[in-house]
Amino acid sequence: MGGDISVKSNIGSGSIFTIKLPNIPLTESKVIKTPAFEWEAQKVIFPKSSILIVDDLENNQEIVKSYLNDTQATIYCMSNGNQAVKFCESNLVDLILMDIRMQDMDGIKTAKLIKSITSTQKH
């Protein structure tokens, strides 16, 4: 296409990739950007239920909780897979929102252990 690609990189700071395509005509129309996701809380309806949030980052827990604050759901938060498994051994929840990458035990292993608990299999 008659262009040029270059990269500038600094260890620990990141990289800048530059792509120049001089033979491509510019468009006259304006690009209107819209958010890929728009949260409409009034359209989210949870019946009385319980939701377990499992994430090793407290900020992530708080973000998810903030989206669910105005629902009838009871929210529980756990910081790691071991806590979640122990919690599920004595508590039934309707929905689990879990991080895949956690320090003590990843989300996939945690989910398998929770699924192996007899009481969760009936729920």
Side-chain angles (χ1 to χ4, degrees), residues 8-48:
K8 291 180 184 179
S9 185
N10 292 317
I11 296 174
S13 296
S15 302
I16 298 173
F17 294 86
T18 304
I19 301 171
K20 295 179 182 178
L21 300 171
N23 298 322
I24 305 294
L26 297 176
T27 181
E28 295 295 324
S29 63
K30 292 185 177 186
V31 176
I32 300 171
K33 293 184 178 182
T34 58
F37 175 76
E38 291 184 25
W39 181 262
E40 295 182 43
Q42 68 274 11
K43 291 185 178 181
V44 178
I45 300 170
F46 278 100
K48 192 168 176 79

Side-chain angles (χ1 to χ4, degrees), residues 53-116:
I53 301 168
V54 187
D55 197 307
D56 55 347
L57 299 176
E58 190 174 334
N59 286 345
N60 291 348
Q61 292 176 17
E62 292 301 319
I63 289 169
V64 175
K65 278 175 42 178
S66 72
Y67 284 124
L68 301 170
N69 274 344
D70 296 330
T71 69
Q72 296 182 44
T74 302
I75 309 297
Y76 302 98
C77 292
M78 301 292 144
S79 298
N80 62 57
N82 286 315
Q83 288 178 350
V85 171
K86 286 181 184 176
F87 181 83
C88 290
E89 288 173 346
S90 56
N91 299 279
L92 289 176
V93 294
D94 298 301
L95 175 66
I96 300 173
L97 302 172
M98 185 164 26
D99 188 6
I100 292 293
R101 294 182 294 166
M102 294 183 286
Q103 292 180 10
D104 74 323
M105 180 185 339
D106 68 49
I108 295 170
K109 184 174 181 181
T110 303
K112 286 179 183 177
L113 288 172
I114 291 171
K115 287 178 182 181
S116 72

